[in-house]
Amino acid sequence: MAISVAILDDRQLSREGMRLLIGTQVDLRVDCEAGSASEGYELVAARRPDVCIVAQELEEIGGVPATRELIRRHPELRVIVASSTGSADGARAALGAGARGYILKSQASADLFEAVRQVMRGDVYLPPSLALASSNWRVLPSE
């Protein structure tokens, strides 16, 4: 059975690109896409994907608050926050909100596939540039 993925990003080109890339993998499928947090909440509730990729720079409320709300509503959901800029502080905030992964939009598509697979296995995914630094992090749940 393929891993079902939701994409929550207000940039249509980003959503389309991720959908096309994920569609090349036999074990992954995009189940739904949303351009806003409110639309994403509705689609995730209706479709119940395994993983949701959330843009950190989501215009409506931001990816970290959207992640927090998605996890509050669906504790079993695995969220990966995708960032255009990428920073240790951004990754800590995402993980503190309940995300299981953090990926840079500048990474290779193979990294995106691996992030989805890792969070489905129950692991945390961080880009290599942040993974080494993360051993010194103290991540606390955000309010």
Side-chain angles (χ1 to χ4, degrees):
M1 177 108 111
I3 298 168
S4 63
V5 178
I7 301 170
L8 175 49
D9 194 321
D10 57 335
R11 290 168 179 85
Q12 184 173 349
L13 189 58
S14 291
R15 287 194 315 271
E16 289 176 0
M18 281 191 270
R19 178 176 33 84
L20 290 170
L21 289 168
I22 290 169
T24 67
Q25 303 300 293
V26 296
D27 62 330
L28 308 176
R29 79 170 191 281
V30 173
D31 202 40
C32 56
E33 302 173 35
S36 69
S38 56
E39 182 185 10
Y41 301 151
E42 290 177 22
L43 285 173
V44 167
R47 302 302 297 262
R48 299 287 187 181
D50 298 312
V51 176
C52 185
I53 300 169
V54 178
Q56 185 166 26
E57 297 82 10
L58 193 64
E59 285 186 9
E60 187 179 6
I61 64 169
V64 170
T67 295
R68 188 178 306 111
E69 183 61 19
L70 283 165
I71 298 298
R72 186 188 71 74
R73 294 181 186 200
H74 310 283
E76 73 289 352
L77 182 66
R78 294 157 184 97
V79 174
I80 297 169
V81 172
S83 177
S84 296
T85 57
S87 70
D89 289 341
R92 279 193 295 268
L95 296 176
R100 299 293 300 160
Y102 185 84
I103 191 164
L104 307 177
K105 290 184 177 181
S106 60
Q107 286 182 252
S109 57
D111 295 329
L112 175 62
F113 310 148
E114 183 57 26
V116 171
R117 292 175 182 126
Q118 275 192 22
V119 301
M120 274 305 294
R121 288 192 303 263
D123 297 331
V124 172
Y125 178 86
L126 290 171
S129 60
L130 295 176
L132 291 175
S134 69
S135 62
N136 296 323
W137 292 357
R138 187 167 164 232
V139 178
L140 300 174
S142 59
E143 297 180 57

